[in-house]
Amino acid sequence: MPVNPISRFPVPRLEALPADLRARIEEVQQKAGFVPNVFLALAHRPAEWRAFFAYHDALMEKEGGLSKAEREMIVVATSAANRCQYCVVAHGALVRIRSKNPLLADQVAVNYLKADLSARQKAMLDFALKVALEAATVSEADFAALRAQGFSDEDIWDIGAIAAFFALSNRLANLAAIRPNDEFYLMGRVPKAK
Amino acid sequence: MPVNPISRFPVPRLEALPADLRARIEEVQQKAGFVPNVFLALAHRPAEWRAFFAYHDALMEKEGGLSKAEREMIVVATSAANRCQYCVVAHGALVRIRSKNPLLADQVAVNYLKADLSARQKAMLDFALKVALEAATVSEADFAALRAQGFSDEDIWDIGAIAAFFALSNRLANLAAIRPNDEFYLMGRVPKAK
Amino acid sequence: MPVNPISRFPVPRLEALPADLRARIEEVQQKAGFVPNVFLALAHRPAEWRAFFAYHDALMEKEGGLSKAEREMIVVATSAANRCQYCVVAHGALVRIRSKNPLLADQVAVNYLKADLSARQKAMLDFALKVALEAATVSEADFAALRAQGFSDEDIWDIGAIAAFFALSNRLANLAAIRPNDEFYLMGRVPKAK
Amino acid sequence: MPVNPISRFPVPRLEALPADLRARIEEVQQKAGFVPNVFLALAHRPAEWRAFFAYHDALMEKEGGLSKAEREMIVVATSAANRCQYCVVAHGALVRIRSKNPLLADQVAVNYLKADLSARQKAMLDFALKVALEAATVSEADFAALRAQGFSDEDIWDIGAIAAFFALSNRLANLAAIRPNDEFYLMGRVPKAK
Amino acid sequence: MPVNPISRFPVPRLEALPADLRARIEEVQQKAGFVPNVFLALAHRPAEWRAFFAYHDALMEKEGGLSKAEREMIVVATSAANRCQYCVVAHGALVRIRSKNPLLADQVAVNYLKADLSARQKAMLDFALKVALEAATVSEADFAALRAQGFSDEDIWDIGAIAAFFALSNRLANLAAIRPNDEFYLMGRVPKAK
Amino acid sequence: MPVNPISRFPVPRLEALPADLRARIEEVQQKAGFVPNVFLALAHRPAEWRAFFAYHDALMEKEGGLSKAEREMIVVATSAANRCQYCVVAHGALVRIRSKNPLLADQVAVNYLKADLSARQKAMLDFALKVALEAATVSEADFAALRAQGFSDEDIWDIGAIAAFFALSNRLANLAAIRPNDEFYLMGRVPKAK
């Protein structure tokens, strides 16, 4: 069976990259044991790469009312709606690891309404999908539904902004047909494997 | 985190089932090591159960121009379009086992257009999704495209009929919210695990 | 003007069919005065034929909280949404005959919301169409709305399962372009004609 | 079973109407044997009524490259897409009468792609539905496809303008929930009945 | 850059038109300072032209519960949903002039939910868009929501009928690709320009 | 008539902002004569603000095969599809200014297919909208169509990345309901006004 390449566009060699990109990529490689393909595929454009990961980290690494597992659930649910292979597979691994639940990522990717989630988490994903798919109709009633589940306005910004950022990310990955690394598929599924 | 039940409807105990259902279920259990929940959830209605599995076997266990792995790919691609958690998870395991490729099921579930597939297999899934989502517009041009890839008219019936049967199956599973067994998620991912 | 054939696939002659298929078909012919084309078009695949009609009868011929006319309304409403010519025309005849109302089938086919139906029947069709078109979003709220109209959980299974079975049936008929028999169009429209 | 009223809005008595409306309505009644409900339901607004029927007649009663039966097919196909009960039932009767084919209206209403039509007539309905459902994307390529079937530019205007006029008509009938007269359902189905 | 013509169809010269069309067009020219292209493009068919403008005036020039600015808002909101360049640009000018608000037309065209409108006006546009886009589902609940905002049943007819009339108008303009006059773009934007 | 606020979320005062944000904002204010609201509304989150504008500038201020006017056309066309009031109004001003064409922005916002554009520019917008609305289906055929119009692969990345970035931007603006400044509406419409 054929195996697709990493990207439709040229993928720079690590050694050819600006020092700051290389440093960050080597750090990730150290931690994960491999270089996730998105780091290489987007490096085709260093200025865009820097903005992309700065934005990503500002949203995904911060503290706040949403746990890191919940932030990753937003990514998986909205990326599945956008049919983005890279993001569903890569962030599915992060959902499994951060939630310590090997089933949750696949459940959320197919149909979060039937996943093992709390009512609060389903409300979070209802809103994330509304921002992802029909942001023009977001209304005060949506904010009220989230506040009723205990979310603060800062949390609502986070939910919406993560959905918005991955609207960008999913489109880039689909544009370039970025291939998820083989390593992601098994991460977080086998307890001791980590 | 909450764990959803097997079905929204009553699930009969194995011992309470008619003998023929019990025999088949025990056979499956023997082979798989567990009873897939769909066998129990549909047993609520024995006459429908018998027709359902007779139909399933007539389409999925037969010989012909499509390999068993390809038949399961049709199931995963159309069930993902219908957002059917049970079918994507359970038949995803079968895609992995039958194709001996641990990555393919997740790729097909998210976006078969970007999966590691041949042009022939993509044409097969193009047609399966057309039957699943807009069968009213199936036309002679669709048949011509499949014949150009080497499919016979019997193969075309198979592709269309599998997509049609899982249109039924996906709706039943979503109606009853049938939960995929935990065992499916890891099947076919770890080489030696089988 | 051109006249379309019965099926895109080969249609077996009655004499060439397995005895059980022939027996059932001759029985139908006896009763209806003609052989509905679906019996011949699907006979191309005897094993699938047997499962198909066994499933059909299990859902459509049983007793329960839904009248036979109501079961046929579900077929017409969902088949119209799927633009299935065979099912709308053939089961439209059955709606007219079983409801003894010559107008109802056409009303339901075009827009059941404006048909001469009770609130209970409209709720039944609301749910049938949800299962037909977006089963992934069926929720507890839908079950509650049906229970409020007096439907039992067994009735709800019936409504959903009929919609699911005709999701299959509509796709097969559209795949093979099965032609409705000319006889169906007038059945149940003229009081004495029967 | 309940029977819906003629309109959601007040329906004037014939005697209360302006003389020109009454004259036209009595003429129709003479010819058809009954007053089609749309004549009464829209009479609530005499100025709009006059413009509506003037427009209707300018498009539907003229000579040209399209036969009267073909004009009515456009009405049925687009009105079915808009789920307009009044127009599908009333103009379905006209399709049957003008084409002298008792099957065609129901075929076109459910799925014109599978109706007993010529390639030229299907191209006509392809364009009519494009105007009805996504006129913003009409392009030179659509004009070329119609010219290739022998349609003149005047014919193309007719096809498009009929689809456009019934976009208005369907919305009015759905707004007011105008009920089709019982008489329409059987018209043109029984050879001698006329 | 290329400049598109006024219409895909022949545009008659003013002198070649029937006297009544010419009189009306000259009157408009007097008042506006130019001839809006729709008057010329539709004159290709004088009988249709007469009905079109009679209908238009019956709906748009009448007195009633809706102000003239509000009638024009309905046109802009529904024409934007139908992506009709002529109607959005030409009636956008009328919204600006009649509301004496230079911002409102652009706001309504992009997303009326976020325009500077009252709750009553948003309810009016909610209903207009429902008639424009899914009239088949208009229900008693929609009427109740409008009555709760103080609209009479005559107002509801007006809202629905304007949306329905511009469903026709938008399709004609998209069929013929009628070009908005350059003059419209600036009208009502600069206080003293008038 | 009501006037909507600048954002649903708190808008920081300029003096309260980090020095780098303040410097950039004052620079923009100097140049434009006012502070575009998006600079203030997003300043609620300085780290996200920095990444957002770095990304924006990397895509919109660079040299390459697309003119600056063409980059802004992509923004207007995709933002209109996403119904983002802020982006259509603000970047519409930039289209007018950079193309020196006072009509083009409104044409592109309503229906770029009927705007005064070259075939090359329409192909560019076809692709931009595909990335904006259904990026999962981007295929080699789309790349071939763009190359046939003379676009390089770097240009294709630019088109796709701008569409992707404004997928993010539109969702943020719709999430926060960011109000376009009144100044934008008239910019580039009156020749000498600049």
Side-chain angles (χ1 to χ4, degrees), chain E:
Chain E
M1 248 183 273
V3 172
N4 296 321
I6 288 178
S7 171
R8 281 187 177 123
F9 292 89
V11 177
R13 284 173 312 112
L14 192 54
E15 313 83 72
L17 291 177
D20 60 325
L21 275 66
R22 217 159 80 192
R24 168 76 187 271
I25 291 175
E26 283 165 354
E27 187 191 303
V28 172
Q29 185 173 24
Q30 203 82 22
K31 208 164 126 190
F34 62 97
V35 181
N37 288 334
V38 70
F39 285 91
L40 296 174
L42 297 187
H44 181 61
R45 293 278 182 95
E48 299 166 32
W49 189 102
R50 289 182 190 104
F52 182 90
F53 289 104
Y55 215 136
H56 175 276
D57 295 352
L59 290 169
M60 301 303 286
E61 306 296 336
K62 77 192 281 274
E63 301 301 315
L66 310 177
S67 71
K68 286 194 178 170
E70 286 169 340
R71 290 171 200 266
E72 297 294 341
M73 286 177 210
I74 295 170
V75 180
V76 170
T78 60
S79 299
N82 289 327
R83 298 173 61 205
C84 176
Q85 196 174 85
Y86 186 86
C87 295
V88 172
V89 171
H91 290 270
L94 295 175
V95 164
R96 287 190 294 272
I97 290 168
R98 295 191 168 172
S99 71
K100 299 186 174 31
N101 178 337
L103 311 184
L104 202 52
D106 295 345
Q107 292 176 349
V108 167
V110 182
N111 188 348
Y112 77 94
L113 294 170
K114 290 174 184 164
D116 295 330
L117 296 174
S118 66
R120 182 180 170 278
Q121 290 168 332
K122 287 189 184 171
M124 174 186 82
L125 295 179
D126 286 345
F127 187 70
L129 280 157
K130 188 160 193 181
V131 172
L133 299 179
E134 41 169 350
T137 65
V138 165
S139 73
E140 287 309 310
D142 298 312
F143 279 63
L146 289 167
R147 287 178 197 131
Q149 290 286 350
F151 290 106
S152 71
D153 279 25
E154 292 305 306
D155 296 336
I156 297 175
W157 179 296
D158 280 352
I159 300 169
I162 294 170
F165 178 77
F166 281 88
L168 156 66
S169 179
N170 293 168
R171 282 160 182 77
L172 288 179
N174 272 324
L175 169 68
I178 304 179
R179 177 185 183 79
N181 305 57
D182 294 5
E183 287 86 344
F184 284 126
Y185 292 78
L186 198 58
M187 282 167 66
R189 294 191 186 273
V190 192
K192 51 223 72 176
K194 267 248 80 180

Side-chain angles (χ1 to χ4, degrees), chain A residues 114-184:
Chain A
K114 291 175 184 163
D116 294 331
L117 296 174
S118 65
R120 182 181 170 278
Q121 289 168 332
K122 288 189 185 171
M124 175 186 81
L125 295 180
D126 286 344
F127 187 71
L129 280 157
K130 189 161 193 180
V131 171
L133 299 179
E134 42 168 350
T137 65
V138 166
S139 73
E140 287 309 309
D142 298 311
F143 279 63
L146 288 167
R147 287 178 196 131
Q149 290 286 351
F151 290 106
S152 71
D153 278 26
E154 292 304 306
D155 296 336
I156 297 175
W157 179 296
D158 280 352
I159 300 169
I162 293 169
F165 179 76
F166 281 88
L168 156 66
S169 178
N170 294 168
R171 281 161 183 76
L172 289 179
N174 272 324
L175 170 68
I178 304 179
R179 178 185 183 79
N181 305 58
D182 293 5
E183 288 87 345
F184 285 126

